[in-house]
Amino acid sequence: DSGVTQTPKHLITATGQRVTLRCSPRSGDLSVYWYQQSLDQGLQFLIQYYNGEERAKGNILERFSAQQFPDLHSELNLSSLELGDSALYFCASSVPVAGANYNEQFFGPGTRLTVL
Amino acid sequence: AQKVTQAQTEISVVEKEDVTLDCVYETRDTTYYLFWYKQPPSGELVFLIRRNSFDEQNEISGRYSWNFQKSTSSFNFTITASQVVDSAVYFCALSESNFGNEKLTFGTGTRLTIIP
């Protein structure tokens, strides 16, 4: 158990709909990353937040947005859903590694989104 | 831009055989980190190893070993005496040393099947 929680575990919805995926980082971790694992695109980085602010952006569609709240949990909002958005969405939170100029990422169990 | 190539899409071996998973990476950075993750059928991402670009020592952990060669930009993973529980998809990943933004670039994964 990484200590990162994601809800819901599974989500089934229809094309055109909007969903929200939630991530709670490990206690004290300020940074949250979102990744998408789809059949077409593989595992790819979407976006990172640090202490409420967007820090880095990857291949995130304009229909997708994210935010990080004052309690540090994060939400990934997916709108106008298409069949191709069906994927496993991972959240990770990170903490500095002692003695290294690096932050270790810990992955949550993922949310499996199915768009019908 | 970073890139990770896992040329082996699928590998099947009989239990107790040794198997090596290949990983080739591209980066312009002189400081970077390499990773291997395991994704069992249950879907979670299991961290196996992190190696920084200044540490070319090979590592062994039980039946697992990793061979890092900067000269060929490779970070290969060997499982000795494979077991059925090793059946999973294995991902190699790369992170540039950008403290505070350690987004991971993943390869496409190698699906390993251990035949009993």
Side-chain angles (χ1 to χ4, degrees):
Chain A
D1 186 349
S2 67
V4 178
T5 60
Q6 292 187 246
T7 57
K9 194 164 185 175
H10 300 278
L11 195 48
I12 301 174
T13 189
T15 54
Q17 294 299 304
R18 173 190 169 93
V19 297
T20 296
L21 312 184
R22 182 187 169 105
C23 169
S24 293
R26 300 181 337 147
S27 177
D29 288 359
L30 299 177
S31 200
V32 168
Y33 297 75
W34 286 96
Y35 292 84
Q36 178 198 55
Q37 184 179 19
S38 66
L39 286 175
D40 290 343
Q41 302 293 329
L43 242 178
Q44 62 174 354
F45 166 72
L46 294 179
I47 197 164
Q48 178 202 4
Y49 275 80
Y50 179 83
N51 204 19
E53 301 283 330
E54 181 185 304
R55 176 159 282 190
K57 222 167 185 176
N59 298 325
I60 187 166
L61 299 172
E62 283 191 13
R63 300 183 285 109
F64 296 1
S65 65
Q67 53 185 327
Q68 187 178 27
F69 294 86
D71 67 353
L72 300 178
H73 90 270
S74 178
E75 293 181 357
L76 180 67
N77 301 295
L78 315 176
S79 61
S80 302
L81 285 168
E82 302 175 0
L83 296 178
D85 298 328
S86 295
L88 188 52
Y89 291 85
F90 288 104
C91 162
S93 70
S94 69
V95 64
V97 175
N101 197 28
Y102 188 79
N103 290 305
E104 189 75 70
Q105 289 184 46
F106 294 86
F107 281 85
T111 292
R112 186 170 294 280
L113 173 66
T114 302
V115 182
L116 301 176
Chain B
Q2 304 175 91
K3 187 178 178 182
V4 176
T5 301
Q6 294 180 256
Q8 303 152 309
T9 307
E10 295 191 33
I11 299 176
S12 294
V13 300
V14 176
E15 196 174 18
K16 296 184 185 174
E17 286 185 356
D18 299 347
V19 58
T20 295
L21 309 183
D22 297 333
C23 173
V24 174
Y25 63 91
E26 294 176 31
T27 179
R28 292 179 182 173
D29 277 13
T30 55
T31 303
Y32 50 89
Y33 294 85
L34 295 164
F35 302 79
W36 277 94
Y37 285 86
K38 173 182 180 179
Q39 187 175 42
S42 51
E44 75 271 24
L45 284 171
V46 179
F47 168 82
L48 296 178
I49 190 172
R50 180 186 74 245
R51 173 65 82 227
N52 76 50
S53 52
F54 295 108
D55 184 0
E56 287 195 72
Q57 277 195 333
N58 292 331
E59 179 152 342
I60 298 174
S61 176
R63 296 184 297 106
Y64 295 171
S65 63
W66 291 269
N67 180 271
F68 176 29
Q69 293 197 340
K70 278 178 91 167
S71 60
T72 55
S73 298
S74 65
F75 186 45
N76 297 336
F77 172 32
T78 297
I79 302 175
T80 303
S82 59
Q83 300 176 2
V84 172
V85 292
D86 296 327
S87 294
V89 180
Y90 290 85
F91 291 95
C92 181
L94 168 69
S95 170
E96 292 172 343
S97 179
N98 186 4
F99 188 59
N101 173 19
E102 286 89 352
K103 66 180 179 71
L104 295 168
T105 298
F106 287 88
T108 49
T110 297
R111 181 177 299 277
L112 176 63
T113 302
I114 309 300
I115 303 165

